[in-house]
Amino acid sequence: MGRIAVIGAGMGAMAAAARLAVAGHRVTVYERTETYGGEVRRFERDGFAFDTGPGLLPLPAVYRDLFVKTGKEPLEDCVELVQVDPSARHVFADGTEVSLPNASRAGVVTALDEALGAGAGQRWGDFLVRAREAWDRTRRPLLEEPLWPNWQVLAEREPYPSVPHKKLLRTRRASTLAEIGDWELRDERLAALLNSHALAYGLDPRDAPASAAVLPYLEHAFGIWYVRGGIRELARAVYERCVKRRVEFVFGAEVTGVLAKDGRAAGVELADGKVVDADHVVAGVDPVRLNTLTQRTGWQLDADGDVRADAAVARPGRFSVLLALRGGREAGAVHRTVVHAPDDQTELDLLVAPGGDRPVRPTVTVLRPDDPALGPDENHESVVLSAVLSTEADWEQESTALAYTDFLLEAAEAAVPGLRERLLWHETRTPEQVTDSTGFGEISAPALAAGQGRFLHPANTTRLPGLYRVGSWSHPGGGLPHAGMSGALVAGLIVEGPEFRGSQ
């Protein structure tokens, strides 16, 4: 079997490495930092521990499949998965609140009717039925198959169904997620609920295609999960699975070039000048950096004909505030609370054009895990606040971070009783700081159909034979489970060749 060089130790890269090692390849992972996991990191201080990347896991089946395919121990023997219920409590701009049961359509319909008024739940339930149609039409080509046979069809076709319009006696098709809220949900709070699922992935619902309806559907259909001890425990489990499969990790090893010989990838060059020969190279880095790594060999990856994200458009990033609180978590506390922005349109405007006069309070997610492992004892609590903000904001100015920290603390008071009096200390993480420490400062959204291909990700194959893309920046892209799926696709392409068509 062949020698595989993997660039980066993110979740997608490790998923590919484990699968390739099981297939008999000799796999070495080169990671520029001193640890694994990519954006899935942990911060610890004074006995408190915090997830500094994603805090919840959708689609755990992706990692269940990885562990089944790479060893005898199933995922649940390596980490403890807990279904989060309610899946979220939403606090809307008008003060209305609703807690939504996890993975229960009937429960969600009832909760929305009680909180927002009769008929609200039914409209949301009808929307989920149509969102399921979009999911059924795109699941296989977007998640389970290499992109190149399908990308033009996916770029042009809108899978979200047309909806009958009673007054006009005809059907009409929403072209954006925001139009679904206006036309079908007919309630500002339901629209805010819908939009918050897109915003969590850095998408502006005003230009995200209607196919983004699959995002709330996925959470509804498959539930939302927490890994006991924090999502970092999932990264640990994947890393340990790689080690058991004899994957070699070299930390503190920055790859500065991808080498080519006889028209195909032939290895990598490290920052210390060392050259490593390889039969295949798997790159878990963003398209801009990967193009830089190949330029010295004369290969321009992002040329016409490649499926690629728009490198000229900066994606939003995650701004987080980590809170160490005195006092234990009160009975009945909700794991996740979403406190919606008082002015959602201004929030979205600043997301895409951060040149406004001053910051405004964004939509804030408050995570309060019921997990003793995250605090020094039962009389303290670890809480993570986060918001999706522009990476082009002036983060070099201390006042910017201070202003948003105050906004997040203000919003969190709706989720954490007596927050200010309980606060021992806090730490902030700006998108710029996250980029410096992990290389993942921007949020990579999942691939979506339609939108003229703007919401697809670069294919796993490249114009340089033997060089493959993997992770959040490649197909299917975006988020923790999708990175794992890209690892499966890359392993299939290398092991089974060009005829590979994903899961059967």
Side-chain angles (χ1 to χ4, degrees):
M1 288 292 184
R3 300 162 298 175
I4 312 290
V6 179
I7 306 173
M11 298 300 285
M14 290 197 296
R19 290 175 181 267
L20 288 166
V22 167
H25 294 284
R26 288 180 292 159
V27 184
T28 304
V29 177
Y30 299 93
E31 167 59 43
R32 71 176 183 87
T33 70
E34 297 300 328
T35 189
Y36 54 82
E39 64 174 335
V40 182
R41 298 292 179 95
R42 173 183 286 146
F43 176 79
E44 297 180 354
R45 173 182 163 187
D46 299 339
F48 292 89
F50 308 86
D51 279 324
T52 58
L56 296 171
L57 177 67
L59 281 177
V62 172
Y63 288 93
R64 291 191 179 108
D65 181 68
L66 172 66
F67 277 72
V68 166
K69 300 291 176 57
T70 59
K72 295 181 180 180
E73 292 177 299
L75 176 63
E76 279 78 358
D77 283 358
C78 302
V79 297
E80 182 182 354
L81 291 177
V82 181
Q83 195 168 25
V84 176
D85 198 14
S87 65
R89 169 174 167 248
H90 288 265
V91 180
F92 297 105
D94 66 354
T96 306
E97 300 182 12
V98 62
S99 291
L100 302 179
N102 200 343
S104 170
R105 181 179 183 276
V108 168
V109 168
T110 299
L112 289 172
D113 275 343
E114 291 177 352
L116 308 186
Q122 186 61 49
R123 291 196 298 277
W124 184 260
D126 290 344
F127 155 72
L128 288 177
V129 171
R130 292 186 287 275
R132 178 179 179 175
E133 290 188 41
W135 166 249
D136 288 341
R137 293 170 181 172
T138 60
R139 173 188 60 83
R140 188 174 182 87
L142 279 178
L143 282 181
E144 298 178 358
E145 295 181 347
L147 187 58
W148 33 261
N150 310 300
W151 80 270
Q152 288 181 318
V153 172
L154 289 169
E156 298 167 0
R157 181 178 299 171
E158 173 56 76
Y160 187 79
S162 301
V163 178
H165 190 283
K166 296 179 181 179
K167 292 183 179 180
L168 299 179
L169 300 178
R170 60 179 174 82
T171 61
R172 62 182 177 184
R173 184 185 299 278
S175 60
T176 67
L177 198 66
E179 287 179 350
I180 293 176
D182 291 340
W183 297 356
E184 300 179 34
L185 300 180
R186 303 190 303 280
D187 185 298
E188 290 184 355
R189 297 160 297 183
L190 287 179
L193 173 60
L194 174 62
N195 292 346
S196 67
H197 286 84
L199 184 61
Y201 288 100
L203 295 170
D204 184 341
R206 299 172 300 186
D207 69 1
S211 59
V214 300
L215 299 178
Y217 173 76
L218 286 176
E219 186 171 311
H220 158 76
F222 303 105
I224 198 77
W225 300 76
Y226 173 69
V227 179
R228 186 72 68 186
I231 295 293
R232 178 66 179 177
E233 287 299 294
L234 178 63
R236 174 198 55 77
V238 175
Y239 168 74
E240 291 180 354
R241 176 56 53 91
C242 287
V243 172
K244 287 183 178 179
R245 300 284 80 82
R246 299 185 179 180
V247 174
E248 181 183 358
F249 285 81
V250 183
F251 294 107
E254 182 178 2
V255 173
T256 55
V258 173
L259 307 179
K261 183 179 180 181
D262 298 328
R264 61 174 291 111
V268 297
E269 182 176 354
L270 305 181
D272 62 5
K274 182 179 179 180
V275 172
V276 180
D277 295 331
D279 299 298
H280 302 275
V281 177
V282 177
V285 299
D286 69 86
V288 175
R289 184 182 170 206
L290 181 56
N291 200 40
T292 300
L293 295 180
T294 59
Q295 280 179 346
R296 62 185 302 171
T297 64
W299 288 89
Q300 250 345 89
L301 294 184
D302 290 341
D304 290 342
D306 269 357
V307 181
R308 60 187 178 89
D310 190 346
V313 178
R315 293 202 53 79
R318 183 182 291 108
F319 177 86
S320 301
V321 181
L322 317 178
L323 306 181
L325 304 181
R326 62 171 64 89
R329 188 175 186 268
E330 74 275 11
V334 175
H335 188 126
R336 176 174 58 162
T337 299
V338 180
V339 184
H340 292 262
D343 185 349
D344 58 346
Q345 294 304 305
T346 301
E347 174 188 27
L348 295 175
D349 288 342
L350 288 177
L351 194 67
V352 296
D357 294 335
R358 61 182 181 84
V360 299
R361 182 167 79 71
T363 295
V364 177
T365 298
V366 182
L367 295 183
R368 304 180 65 192
D370 184 9
D371 191 345
L374 302 184
D377 53 49
E378 63 182 8
N379 296 316
H380 294 85
E381 183 182 6
S382 166
V383 176
V384 177
L385 318 179
S386 64
V388 177
L389 302 173
S390 172
T391 54
E392 296 185 334
D394 190 3
W395 294 114
E396 293 185 358
Q397 289 289 332
E398 185 179 0
S399 59
T400 303
L402 288 174
Y404 279 115
T405 298
D406 286 342
F407 282 137
L408 267 62
L409 289 170
E410 175 191 334
E413 291 181 299
V416 185
L419 173 65
R420 302 279 182 172
E421 293 74 24
R422 296 179 58 194
L423 184 60
L424 289 171
W425 51 262
H426 69 271
E427 291 273 349
T428 62
R429 289 288 183 274
T430 69
E432 187 176 64
Q433 290 171 324
V434 174
T435 299
D436 291 341
S437 61
T438 71
F440 286 85
E442 297 181 345
I443 297 174
S444 182
L448 298 171
Q452 280 117 24
R454 288 176 50 227
F455 299 92
L456 298 177
H457 290 260
N460 305 108
T461 54
T462 71
R463 293 165 60 87
L464 177 60
L467 175 62
Y468 301 86
R469 296 182 175 103
V470 71
S472 294
W473 294 103
S474 66
H475 175 72
L480 197 58
H482 301 86
M485 285 301 304
S486 72
L489 292 174
V490 166
L493 287 165
I494 293 176
V495 173
E496 301 184 34
E499 68 278 4
F500 175 67
R501 289 294 184 273
S503 303
Q504 300 298 323

